[in-house]
Amino acid sequence: MSRNQSLIELTEKYGARNYHPLPIVISKAEGVWVEDADGNKYMDMLSAYSALNHGHRHPRLIAALKEQADKVTLTSRAFHNDQLGLFYEKVAQLTGKEMILPMNTGAEAVETALKAARRWAYDVKKVPENQAEIIVCENNFHGRTITAVSLSSSDEYKRGFGPLTPGFKIIPYGDVEALKAAITPNTAAFLVEPIQGEAGVIVPPEGYLREAYQVCKEHNVLFIADEIQTGFGRTGQLFACDWEDVRPDLYVMGKALGGGVMPISAVAGDKEVMGVFEPGSHGSTFGGNPLACAVSVAALDVLVEENLPQRSRELGEYFMAELKKIHNPIIKEIRGKGLFIGMELFEPARPHCERLAEEGLLCKETHENTIRFAPPLTITQEELDWALAKIRKVMSV
Ligand SMILES: Cc1ncc(COP(=O)(O)O)c(CNc2cccc(C(=O)O)c2)c1O
């Protein structure tokens, strides 16, 4: 039995069945390349759902990890640490926001934003207690906690997890009129992904974010952008909201914020909103830990110094143009921005992902019929051409 197979059997012996992974056992990785337990090499075109914008084990991030690990890794927030303030400053500079709250996972950051929005509604907007409403979009993905799935439109995320958290309204994505119609005097916020990732890389109509933001401002409703998957260069801008010059009231960040090395997430906003938290009202054991903060500061420096958003925009335009030249009647649509691309098929995508894996290219289907191509933003032109050759081989007829 191969080492890959024995490790898969171990995983299947003890593991809860909350994932259905491809039978690839990754044991080493660098840049865009990963290697399985039997020494087979693959290109990673998934980037851990856009957590690996910097590629695997970026040397500057590993160096920051090792340097900090030799000093202190965790202090709890009962005390200060010498990395948190530097992290706050870096995130404040990038977002233009006054106040940051650090957490660990994307779902925790979403929960943080929801709590901030509700408390702002009661304390600032004077919405009657327990009457705050938050508007979200169909086919959203904001995490796996009970509240994050409570605002989902997908039964598979919610089944058997009730009773669900109340106070959410679901409207069609990309529809500004639906947003206007859903707003009431009790509306606290509109939570939206600038591009819907798990729904299948759904890009909203041009101007949607700008118009939705304006509607929110006109009705004193917070515009909250979930940039966990679209942030940090993925779509060809620092944040996807930058494509329409929208500065959300709250940025919800995660994944690549930690450079694919450490889990770290955060919410950034101005004091009017983020000032609603007082000591004891929110937090997390690992939130703001010095190890994650040190790695994140290095990741944000690399993001800027290596022009990752610009690379994503330029290489993504090239990649998209080449993909659109592939002729195959099963291809329904190719869409996306930067190196965040979905190839929607008229049939299930998984068999094609399995064939691409046989060719050495790792990608994953999203919502059954869409292949998501999201390589690290550090990918070179040569590596992208290598991937295109594999995709043409598998997807052309
Ligand atoms: C837009 C968005 N918001 C929130 C989350 C939740 O982040 P965390 O996973 O760090 O709690 C995501 C996560 N995105 C995502 C994409 C694909 C699979 C999975 C998975 O839970 O296995 C998650 C996301 O894509």
Side-chain angles (χ1 to χ4, degrees):
M1 178 186 300
S2 76
R3 181 155 167 66
N4 270 346
Q5 193 50 44
S6 64
L7 290 165
I8 288 174
E9 288 195 4
L10 195 59
T11 304
E12 290 177 346
K13 179 178 179 184
Y14 295 107
R17 295 289 188 272
N18 61 318
Y19 283 97
H20 179 207
L22 289 169
I24 309 281
V25 182
I26 296 171
S27 63
K28 285 194 286 189
E30 185 164 0
V32 303
W33 301 100
V34 300
E35 193 173 314
D36 72 10
D38 291 330
N40 303 302
K41 284 190 76 170
Y42 302 87
M43 180 182 285
D44 183 355
M45 292 289 276
L46 180 63
S47 305
Y49 304 106
S50 299
L52 285 159
N53 292 1
H54 297 72
H56 288 272
R57 298 177 48 250
H58 190 291
R60 283 181 53 183
L61 308 192
I62 300 304
L65 176 76
K66 290 178 175 176
E67 181 183 348
Q68 186 60 40
D70 282 340
K71 295 195 295 182
V72 62
T73 62
L74 179 62
T75 58
S76 88
R77 296 294 303 281
F79 317 104
H80 292 276
N81 70 68
D82 66 355
Q83 299 300 315
L84 182 54
L86 302 173
F87 167 77
Y88 283 157
E89 185 178 52
K90 193 71 69 175
V91 174
Q93 285 166 349
L94 285 176
T95 59
K97 294 298 178 181
E98 297 170 333
M99 203 170 255
I100 322 294
L101 200 155
M103 296 294 281
N104 313 285
T105 64
E108 285 179 322
V110 168
E111 294 272 353
T112 302
L114 295 175
K115 287 173 77 170
R118 284 182 165 183
R119 190 172 271 196
W120 171 85
Y122 302 136
D123 292 0
V124 178
K125 189 172 180 176
K126 303 305 179 192
V127 168
E129 198 71 13
N130 294 330
Q131 302 299 315
E133 297 166 356
I134 294 176
I135 299 168
V136 297
C137 293
E138 281 171 1
N139 302 316
N140 69 63
F141 187 92
H142 296 296
R144 304 283 193 172
T145 56
I146 284 189
T147 291
V149 301
S150 293
L151 50 80
S152 167
S153 61
S154 170
D155 288 337
E156 73 170 314
Y157 295 156
K158 296 190 282 191
R159 188 190 62 75
F161 296 135
L164 301 174
T165 308
F168 299 105
K169 277 186 181 177
I170 299 178
I171 63 170
Y173 185 62
D175 184 340
V176 175
E177 292 309 311
L179 173 61
K180 286 177 186 172
I183 289 175
T184 73
N186 291 345
T187 303
F190 174 48
L191 170 64
V192 64
E193 297 162 80
I195 293 177
Q196 288 191 322
E198 290 324 293
V201 191
I202 307 298
V203 182
E206 193 70 32
Y208 169 65
L209 296 175
R210 162 57 54 189
E211 291 166 33
Y213 175 81
Q214 293 294 359
V215 167
C216 287
K217 290 305 104 196
E218 288 159 14
H219 294 82
N220 194 24
V221 167
L222 297 178
F223 183 95
I224 303 175
D226 180 340
E227 292 260 16
I228 290 164
Q229 187 162 172
T230 55
F232 305 112
R234 176 53 57 189
T235 71
Q237 296 279 0
L238 176 60
F239 294 104
C241 283
D242 295 337
W243 280 107
E244 297 192 16
D245 295 323
V246 167
R247 305 298 290 276
D249 295 297
L250 294 183
Y251 286 91
V252 187
M253 301 163 281
K255 290 185 188 278
L257 180 62
V261 172
M262 284 294 294
I264 183 168
S265 62
V267 176
D270 286 337
K271 285 175 182 165
E272 180 192 315
V273 182
M274 295 304 287
V276 299
F277 293 107
E278 79 277 350
S281 62
H282 189 59
S284 153
T285 302
F286 282 83
N289 72 76
L291 187 57
C293 288
V295 171
S296 182
V297 166
L300 296 175
D301 285 343
V302 166
L303 184 78
V304 173
E305 292 165 22
E306 295 187 8
N307 293 311
L308 298 188
Q310 183 180 340
R311 292 181 58 79
S312 178
R313 184 162 64 254
E314 294 170 358
L315 288 170
E317 286 166 2
Y318 167 75
F319 192 25
M320 177 90 79
E322 289 301 310
L323 288 173
K324 288 185 172 180
K325 294 175 185 172
I326 297 174
H327 295 297
N328 187 329
I330 69 166
I331 297 175
K332 180 178 180 183
E333 182 184 20
I334 294 171
R335 56 179 178 256
K337 273 190 187 292
L339 287 171
F340 194 36
I341 294 173
M343 176 187 278
E344 184 173 357
L345 310 178
F346 287 109
E347 61 185 51
R350 187 166 181 111
H352 301 281
C353 293
E354 289 167 346
R355 283 192 55 208
L356 284 166
E358 290 165 11
E359 291 295 328
L361 193 150
L362 297 184
C363 54
K364 191 81 168 45
E365 74 280 0
T366 174
H367 262 239
E368 291 300 309
N369 289 7
T370 301
I371 304 175
R372 176 192 355 221
F373 294 114
L377 311 185
T378 52
I379 192 168
T380 65
Q381 178 77 53
E382 294 71 28
E383 289 167 334
L384 201 51
D385 286 333
W386 181 92
L388 278 164
K390 301 297 183 184
I391 297 167
R392 291 185 192 107
K393 179 178 178 182
V394 169
M395 299 306 296
S396 298
V397 290

